Amino acid sequence: IFVTITFVFTALPLRVIIALALALLVVRIKKFQNVISSIIYIPAVIPGVALALLFAQILNPHAGMINEFLYYFGIEGPEWLFSEEWALPSLVIMFIWQSGSAMILYIIGLATIPKELLEAATIDGAGAWRKLISIKIPLLTPIILFNLIVGVINNFQYFDQVFVLTQGGPNKATLFFVFNIYRTAFEYFELGYASALAVILSILIGILTYVLLKSSKNWVFYQS
């Protein structure tokens, strides 16, 4: 549970922030906007197993792209997936790399913001930062809420990459709750215990989803 919650509350906020930043950047680009947004979106459609195999090469501590890049600057890269300290951050990096789907939703949300509001703010002397904080982000909060709820549901069931890359290791550093359910059921054949764990997982997801929906009354704003 601790590993799963750490992953959810680290990776999900980072994806929300990075996806929003990418959307704001793409919207400001006038030329080749569709091409750039498509390139950023492509990783989001890569299946989990294929993504895991790709990052197994990228994060290879001896010949991987990232460590080779760090070595160019005289920095010794970490062991990544083979390190108890860096295994979970490696999975976070993989998750963030697929921020394209969330970015597309933010781009759509930015396109629906009434231009009259932005023009009125400009006339009142508001700069780009003030318009972002006071207009754009508040009107994007429904999309932020959607991404958070979908992210919580999906991240608590994070399985493919763990199964392919780490098998819950090293030393249980990536032992996600759902992978533990799989291991309990299909390696230890304790089906009753695995079923109980699955019920607990459903309850946890339900509670967090309810909390998000309940709290949304205080921070989600709609144009109406």
Side-chain angles (χ1 to χ4, degrees):
I1 292 175
F2 176 76
V3 169
T4 305
I5 290 178
T6 301
F7 178 80
V8 171
F9 285 94
T10 302
L12 192 54
L14 285 174
R15 176 185 270 193
V16 168
I17 294 170
I18 291 173
L20 179 56
L22 288 172
L24 292 169
L25 180 63
V26 169
V27 167
R28 293 179 65 89
I29 297 173
K30 301 303 179 183
K31 292 184 178 180
F32 308 110
Q33 186 180 99
N34 292 335
V35 175
I36 294 172
S37 59
S38 299
I39 292 173
I40 297 174
Y41 178 74
I42 285 173
V45 298
I46 299 177
V49 174
L51 177 70
L53 294 174
L54 173 64
F55 266 82
Q57 300 300 319
I58 293 175
L59 297 175
N60 186 301
H62 304 295
M65 183 187 301
I66 294 181
N67 277 12
E68 287 289 333
F69 178 77
L70 294 174
Y71 179 78
Y72 181 79
F73 293 97
I75 302 173
E76 183 178 354
E79 292 292 313
W80 297 112
L81 295 167
F82 300 97
S83 166
E84 184 177 342
E85 180 182 0
W86 283 95
L88 193 59
S90 300
L91 297 180
V92 171
I93 292 172
M94 272 193 290
F95 178 76
I96 293 173
W97 193 61
Q98 291 186 302
S99 299
S101 55
M103 179 202 69
I104 294 296
L105 292 177
Y106 290 131
I107 290 175
I108 296 171
L110 288 168
T112 62
I113 295 176
K115 294 182 179 180
E116 297 80 20
L117 290 177
L118 299 175
E119 291 172 355
T122 302
I123 294 172
D124 288 339
W129 178 254
R130 174 53 63 184
K131 285 187 283 188
L132 173 65
I133 298 299
S134 299
I135 298 176
K136 293 180 181 180
I137 290 181
L139 292 179
L140 288 175
T141 48
I143 298 176
I144 294 175
L145 174 64
F146 173 79
N147 283 330
L148 287 175
I149 291 175
V150 172
V152 165
I153 295 171
N154 290 337
N155 285 14
F156 267 91
Q157 302 177 76
Y158 201 72
F159 177 80
D160 294 352
Q161 290 84 341
V162 178
F163 180 79
V164 173
L165 292 175
T166 66
Q167 292 285 306
N171 194 24
K172 300 182 179 180
T174 59
L175 184 58
F176 282 69
F177 196 88
V178 72
F179 183 77
N180 190 47
I181 294 174
Y182 164 82
R183 189 176 65 170
T184 302
F186 299 107
E187 292 184 12
Y188 305 151
F189 300 104
E190 298 180 10
L191 300 181
Y193 184 35
S195 300
L197 292 174
V199 172
I200 292 173
L201 177 63
S202 300
I203 293 172
L204 285 173
I205 293 174
I207 290 173
L208 284 175
T209 303
Y210 175 78
V211 169
L212 283 171
L213 290 172
K214 195 71 175 178
S215 66
S216 66
K217 297 178 181 179
N218 300 319
W219 61 274
V220 176
F221 304 93
Y222 298 94
Q223 291 187 30
S224 58

